[in-house]
Amino acid sequence: MIRDTVKAAQIAAMKAGDKDRTAATRSIMAKIKDKDIELRTKGDAPDDDAMVTDVLQKMAKQRRESIDMFESGGRTELAAAEKMELSVIEEFLPAQLSEEDTAALIDGIKSELGADSMKDMGRVMGELKKRHGTEIDMSKASAMVKAALG
């Protein structure tokens, strides 16, 4: 389980005295705990690895956006801190499919659903996320689906 891997990395970072890595893993564990609490009130509990992967993907997306903003604002020291956190987060994410593989999956789902216009984008994206949400960067996939349908 990814959760156990993150916890082990946090303990190892604490023992090694690596403050930056410890802070990053603590942040990850806190977000996972928040998601646990949120799901507990909803009643439905998805697969743990899928839930943790979703949390990690959202955190990575936030870090990428922050890096872009900091770099465009000339705040290189803050961008460097975000890059370090992003590298720790990406260590725990499952391997992502290549663009070619993603395009092939999109084409398969598109033909399977009979999707041929932008009106079908929601259906294609929904099916893609349901089947391959943990192994695809959905923000990149969205642009690819838009190009395939447009």
Side-chain angles (χ1 to χ4, degrees):
M1 286 178 36
I2 300 171
R3 180 190 306 256
D4 297 334
T5 308
V6 175
K7 186 69 177 163
Q10 180 182 14
I11 292 168
M14 288 167 54
K15 286 181 179 178
D18 186 345
K19 290 185 170 125
D20 292 336
R21 190 170 172 77
T22 300
T25 53
R26 276 192 180 137
S27 172
I28 293 169
M29 291 303 293
K31 288 288 187 189
I32 292 171
K33 185 75 173 160
D34 288 347
K35 190 68 169 183
D36 284 341
I37 293 167
E38 177 187 330
L39 291 174
R40 196 176 321 145
T41 60
K42 289 185 178 177
D44 61 342
D47 174 50
D48 191 62
D49 276 354
M51 184 270 297
V52 172
T53 301
D54 185 50
V55 168
L56 290 171
Q57 286 176 333
K58 286 179 183 172
M59 290 180 75
K61 181 182 179 195
Q62 290 170 340
R63 296 309 175 281
R64 286 186 197 102
E65 290 171 355
S66 295
I67 290 167
D68 290 342
M69 288 188 335
F70 288 142
E71 286 177 344
S72 67
R75 302 295 307 265
T76 56
E77 70 283 351
L78 294 174
E82 292 288 318
K83 285 179 184 176
M84 189 283 305
E85 253 188 70
L86 178 61
S87 70
V88 172
I89 292 167
E90 286 177 337
E91 285 178 34
F92 303 111
L93 279 170
Q96 300 288 297
L97 292 175
S98 69
E99 285 193 28
E100 296 81 29
D101 293 340
T102 303
L105 289 172
I106 290 169
D107 288 340
I109 291 172
K110 185 176 133 187
S111 63
E112 184 180 310
L113 296 176
D116 57 359
S117 71
M118 287 302 289
K119 289 189 284 183
D120 301 313
M121 183 167 175
R123 289 185 345 177
V124 173
M125 286 298 294
E127 194 63 31
L128 188 64
K129 182 168 181 137
K130 185 170 82 174
R131 294 184 193 175
H132 307 285
T134 60
E135 49 199 16
I136 294 175
D137 181 351
M138 293 308 289
S139 60
K140 290 179 183 172
S142 174
M144 293 173 76
V145 169
K146 201 176 278 187
L149 292 174

